[in-house]
Amino acid sequence: MGKVRKGIEVSIAIADAVKQADVDVIAAYPITPQTHIVEHLAEIVAEGELDAEFIPVDSEHSAMSVCCGSAAVGARTFTSTSSQGLALMSEIFFIAAAMRLPMVMALANRSLSGPLSIWNDHTDVMMVRDAGWIHIFTENGQEAYDNTFCAFRISEDPKVMLPVAVNLDGFILTHMIEPIEYEDDELINQYLPKFEMKNALHPDKPVSMGCFAMPEIYTEAQMNREQGVVNSYPRILKAWEEWGNLTGRHYKPIETYRADDAEYCIVTMGSYGETASEVVDTLREQGEKVGLVKIRLWRPFPFEEFRKAVLGKKHLIVIDRAISFGGPGGPVALELRSALYKKKGAPAIVNYIAGLAGRDVSRKDFTNIILEGKKKAASRDTDGFTLYGLRG
Amino acid sequence: MAKPMDQITWQELEIGAVVVEIGNARQYETGSWRSERPIVDKKQCIRCGVCWLFCPDMSIVRASEGHFEANLTYCKGCGICAKECPVGCIKMVSEEE
């Protein structure tokens, strides 16, 4: 078959990737804007194109519970959700990571209620930032398709054994029709061999999972988890490297665009990277020495790579897609300020929160943010955050 | 557990804190939680086994004489046995007495 380039909706491409990954169990509850992913998967299974159990559940809480059960027996497991769905599954979401159960979630990022909104921002994923999952952010459909495979590879790595969320911006990516390069099934099978899980539930070798822990052992269990997430880092790099070798498409935890010789940079996460890179080009033509830094890996956070990319820059303009009420800024800026604290050559951080609940952030808006942010940095107005485009 | 719980290091835990040793809950002696203990009047006991059936911790055992009594290493003193006993032969007695 070889590579095939298709013009296709990103949600459908993700469902096709799940099929190519030959998953065993899919448990999901439809929610906008993730719906097309699970609808298409239901169809694929019903048509007999994929030999898997598609378990229609009564809620997201049940979806994640089913996923934990299937992952516990070593079945390749997929789910997908958004916003309120993620909120409803959050109890079990944390447990999936604590029990170190490999599974992949396509997380179609959407704002949390209230006010009720179905549109895109990052408030849902930030709610579960500390759950212990690996979080990958994607910028376009191709990245979402590719990282579905990489996510399974990472998740099932015996040295990782963690659930992985592939974040993609709701509507902006999920409902976009893009040219996407599909890989050959043979290549996928090579990249993603059959999964054998150590300590899987099996009657021949009984184990207990999800036991309670007294104060005497809880701290040790948390450190075990912390090290699990931290130690997943080199394995994530390896999974991306091998994917790059096979397909020619390479991924890194921190990706930069025209940043090497830039005096200052804008920092984005998710689909905003595409628009931002075009604006960087335009501003470069006008003589602005601006570059772009994109965070692909949110957990484990790539501290060293981030510092390598930005130390020595004059300032950073960080775009957040979520608000932390009464807090010091958006979650990304908060993280980056912390990563740079007391580092030599650390740039000041100007934080904008933009595009909440799908409010459009156009090229013009990026230009405004970059130029206004530069002025703020020059006048040392770098505390807190600015809600971009706020009326009143 | 190869080691008591308060001596295990984080490195020694299985991934996901999976317990691979079967039945090691036995090593966790919940009897220390107890503030009251069940005392069985073995003359009154009709040996029906209702207490054994209802005990949530499987701490009721059958004594060699045929009646039932609590294994105080594990009995948490919840009092369910006393509540359920059809002849009222189990009394909860304060540990301070």
Side-chain angles (χ1 to χ4, degrees):
Chain A
M1 181 177 125
K3 283 183 200 287
V4 181
R5 202 156 193 254
K6 293 184 186 181
I8 197 155
E9 187 187 309
V10 173
S11 285
I12 308 298
I14 290 171
D16 286 341
V18 172
K19 173 188 159 188
Q20 284 190 284
D22 194 20
V23 304
D24 300 307
V25 175
I26 301 151
Y29 192 86
I31 183 168
T32 303
Q34 144 271 40
T35 322
H36 292 181
I37 300 172
V38 288
E39 270 180 2
H40 191 57
L41 277 168
E43 197 179 327
I44 286 172
V45 174
E47 294 292 343
E49 292 173 36
L50 172 66
D51 181 19
E53 290 291 330
F54 185 96
I55 303 177
V57 282
D58 62 327
S59 74
E60 283 86 356
H61 191 278
S62 303
M64 186 44 68
S65 301
V66 167
C67 287
C68 284
S70 71
V73 298
R76 187 168 284 166
T77 303
F78 177 83
T79 189
S80 180
T81 196
S82 278
S83 179
Q84 305 309 115
L86 183 66
L88 185 51
M89 67 167 57
S90 65
E91 181 188 7
I92 315 297
F93 188 90
F94 279 69
I95 290 170
M99 289 168 68
R100 305 286 292 272
L101 297 171
M103 67 180 76
V104 172
M105 168 188 287
L107 183 46
N109 301 128
R110 162 184 151 182
S111 50
L112 280 173
S113 291
L116 175 59
S117 158
I118 59 164
W119 307 102
N120 160 245
D121 64 31
H122 292 169
T123 48
D124 58 0
V125 55
M126 290 308 161
M127 168 182 62
V128 294
R129 182 190 63 182
D130 301 332
W133 281 54
I134 291 170
H135 283 279
I136 296 169
F137 276 80
T138 58
E139 192 177 316
N140 55 42
Q142 186 71 58
E143 294 189 0
Y145 171 86
D146 288 355
N147 276 286
T148 303
F149 303 111
C150 300
F152 277 113
R153 174 67 179 263
I154 295 161
S155 181
E156 294 169 0
D157 187 323
K159 290 183 179 157
V160 178
M161 298 290 288
L162 282 167
V164 180
V166 179
N167 288 269
L168 70 157
D169 284 323
F171 293 109
I172 296 177
L173 292 188
T174 53
H175 288 53
M176 187 60 65
I177 293 173
E178 283 186 28
I180 294 177
E181 219 164 67
Y182 274 43
E183 293 299 335
D184 193 277
D185 285 347
E186 225 167 87
L187 180 144
I188 301 301
N189 292 341
Q190 187 191 335
Y191 182 71
L192 213 52
K194 226 174 156 40
F195 168 46
E196 297 290 341
M197 179 174 158
K198 190 200 166 198
N199 285 343
L201 286 182
H202 195 281
D204 291 348
K205 194 191 165 216
V207 296
S208 298
M209 291 182 175
C211 296
F212 89 133
M214 295 296 284
E216 291 92 324
I217 198 82
Y218 186 89
T219 306
E220 282 66 30
Q222 297 305 69
M223 183 57 174
N224 192 293
R225 285 175 69 182
E226 159 67 7
Q227 288 299 308
V229 177
V230 169
N231 293 336
S232 71
Y233 188 70
R235 307 304 297 175
I236 296 169
L237 298 189
K238 191 164 188 295
W240 275 335
E241 186 191 333
E242 285 182 27
W243 181 258
N245 292 341
L246 287 170
T247 65
R249 291 188 298 276
H250 299 272
Y251 295 102
K252 287 181 193 161
I254 297 288
E255 289 172 16
T256 57
Y257 180 70
R258 302 184 80 164
D260 288 351
D261 64 337
E263 283 177 5
Y264 68 103
C265 287
I266 180 165
V267 183
T268 62
M269 199 158 81
S271 64
Y272 277 18
E274 296 243 313
T275 324
S277 64
E278 285 188 27
V279 173
V280 163
D281 282 342
T282 310
L283 288 175
R284 278 278 176 149
E285 281 166 26
Q286 295 165 13
E288 278 301 321
K289 295 213 86 180
V290 62
L292 169 65
V293 175
K294 300 180 283 189
I295 301 166
R296 168 164 321 285
L297 188 63
W298 175 235
R299 282 293 181 276
F301 190 80
F303 290 100
E304 285 312 312
E305 281 66 16
F306 173 71
R307 287 177 191 134
K308 217 171 99 191
V310 305
L311 285 181
K313 306 292 177 207
K314 279 187 179 165
H315 63 271
L316 300 177
I317 297 157
V318 177
I319 300 198
D320 260 289
R321 310 285 319 280
I323 186 164
S324 171
F325 302 105
V332 179
L334 173 63
E335 188 99 348
L336 304 189
R337 280 176 177 142
S338 168
L340 297 176
Y341 185 64
K342 286 194 172 172
K343 296 289 168 201
K344 209 179 157 204
I349 286 180
V350 181
N351 183 207
Y352 282 90
I353 296 178
L356 291 183
R359 187 179 288 189
D360 202 21
V361 180
S362 65
R363 291 167 51 109
K364 190 170 152 255
D365 297 313
F366 274 103
T367 310
N368 287 344
I369 287 171
I370 291 170
L371 298 179
E372 196 187 289
K374 189 183 171 188
K375 276 188 206 154
K376 274 179 182 284
S379 58
R380 301 198 174 187
D381 177 15
T382 56
D383 286 349
F385 63 95
T386 304
L387 267 175
Y388 177 75
L390 178 74
R391 288 184 302 275
Chain B
M1 279 178 281
K3 275 185 183 179
M5 190 160 50
D6 60 1
Q7 289 175 28
I8 296 174
T9 65
W10 69 263
Q11 294 94 336
E12 289 165 341
L13 283 170
E14 291 283 328
I15 280 185
V18 167
V19 176
V20 293
E21 187 188 349
I22 303 162
N24 71 0
R26 197 181 295 271
Q27 294 169 39
Y28 186 49
E29 298 180 357
T30 46
S32 63
W33 297 16
R34 202 173 52 245
S35 60
E36 290 184 328
R37 66 177 183 279
I39 301 295
V40 181
D41 180 344
K42 53 186 176 186
K43 279 185 197 152
Q44 266 194 68
C45 174
I46 57 169
R47 302 167 186 199
C48 64
V50 165
C51 55
W52 174 84
L53 197 63
F54 274 87
C55 176
D57 279 302
M58 295 188 285
S59 297
I60 300 284
V61 289
R62 193 157 196 186
S64 53
E65 297 160 61
H67 68 284
F68 289 86
E69 58 188 20
N71 177 344
L72 294 177
T73 310
Y74 300 108
C75 171
K76 294 170 184 165
C78 70
I80 289 174
C81 53
K83 176 86 179 166
E84 296 295 338
C85 176
V87 295
C89 77
I90 307 177
K91 285 201 172 48
M92 298 304 292
V93 178
S94 171
E95 285 292 345
E96 285 175 10
E97 282 176 26

